[in-house]
């Protein structure tokens, strides 16, 4: 049920996603499935991250608490990344970088190249907008390296985007 909620998010069907994820949480709580519950909370955080950041922050913090208490590293990093993205969108760069650095450390530790690539890209955006274009470009290149390593289908699109960033400053 939680996976279906994420699919609804990806399709921008946020009302359906919210209902599905809330149902998923209720079911996961009954089954005492802490991991599923926490990932569904992250899904709800993702829904609200652009429009109602306080609500999103609450969902991500609840997920972070659960993941931390059971030692689920990927989940912890996912919740930290969500919190970092909220602060990135609010241009709270210092706290965003703190959350993202912690998430990146975990993703690297567990060998998750795809999510590592997302995090270094977010960090690159923060550094780019703060004027640190050299360091930002290193992060963008690191994302390209990660995506190449996993054979990601959209690597060429990302390369073009990085060139646009590079040419704009």
């Amino acid at each position: 049920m939680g996976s279906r909620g994420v699919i609804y998010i990806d399709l921008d069907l946020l009302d359906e996603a919210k209902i599905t994820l809330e149902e998923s949480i209720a079911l996961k709580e009954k089954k005492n499935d802490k991991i599923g519950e926490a990932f569904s909370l992250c899904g709800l955080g993702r829904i609200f991250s652009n429009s109602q950041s306080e609500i999103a922050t609450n969902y991500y913090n609840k997920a972070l608490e659960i993941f931390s208490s059971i030692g689920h590293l990927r989940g912890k990093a996912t919740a930290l990344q969500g919190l970092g993205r909220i602060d990135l969108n609010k241009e709270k760069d210092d706290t965003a970088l703190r959350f993202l650095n912690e998430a990146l450390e975990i993703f690297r530790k567990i060998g998750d190249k795809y999510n590592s690539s997302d995090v270094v890209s977010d960090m690159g955006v923060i550094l780019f907008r703060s004027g640190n274009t050299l360091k930002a470009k290193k992060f963008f290149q690191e994302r390209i390296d990660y995506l190449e390593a996993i054979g990601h289908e959209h690597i060429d699109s990302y390369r073009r985007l990085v060139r646009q960033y590079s040419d704009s400053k």
Side-chain angles (χ1 to χ4, degrees):
M1 206 177 261
S3 297
R4 191 172 40 170
V6 172
I7 291 168
Y8 284 139
I9 293 170
D10 290 342
L11 295 172
D12 205 29
L13 300 170
L14 301 184
D15 291 336
E16 291 89 340
K18 183 178 178 289
I19 291 166
T20 302
L21 289 166
E22 287 171 345
E23 290 172 353
S24 175
I25 289 169
L27 181 63
K28 304 297 183 185
E29 285 175 341
K30 283 182 187 175
K31 293 177 136 186
N32 199 29
D33 176 359
K34 294 293 184 191
I35 294 170
E37 177 187 349
F39 273 116
S40 293
L41 287 165
C42 284
L44 286 170
R46 191 170 154 204
I47 290 170
F48 291 101
S49 63
N50 291 324
S51 61
Q52 296 173 304
S53 62
E54 287 180 28
I55 293 171
T57 298
N58 288 335
Y59 283 126
Y60 281 122
N61 279 326
K62 285 179 190 175
L64 180 60
E65 184 179 316
I66 292 169
F67 286 132
S68 295
S69 73
I70 61 175
H72 194 280
L73 292 177
R74 183 181 313 279
K76 181 178 179 180
T78 300
L80 288 164
Q81 181 181 14
L83 290 166
R85 284 185 167 168
I86 290 169
D87 284 349
L88 178 145
N89 291 336
K90 292 166 71 175
E91 297 190 22
K92 292 181 166 184
D93 293 346
D94 290 340
T95 55
L97 284 172
R98 185 173 49 86
F99 286 129
L100 293 170
N101 270 315
E102 193 172 347
L104 181 60
E105 183 179 312
I106 295 169
F107 283 136
R108 284 179 173 162
K109 179 179 180 178
I110 63 174
D112 186 331
K113 292 180 178 161
Y114 180 77
N115 283 309
S116 293
S117 79
D118 272 353
V119 173
V120 295
S121 180
D122 291 340
M123 294 168 77
V125 169
I126 292 169
L127 293 167
F128 190 83
R129 83 169 162 223
S130 70
N132 193 341
T133 55
L134 235 56
K135 194 165 185 181
K137 287 178 186 179
K138 287 180 185 177
F139 279 114
F140 293 146
Q141 182 58 52
E142 189 174 348
R143 176 154 199 205
I144 289 170
D145 295 343
Y146 278 127
L147 294 177
E148 285 176 342
I150 61 174
H152 195 275
E153 63 184 313
H154 298 294
I155 186 69
D156 291 331
S157 298
Y158 190 73
R159 280 190 189 110
R160 282 192 296 278
L161 181 64
V162 168
R163 273 196 301 275
Q164 284 178 316
Y165 258 100
S166 297
D167 294 343
S168 69
K169 276 219 171 180

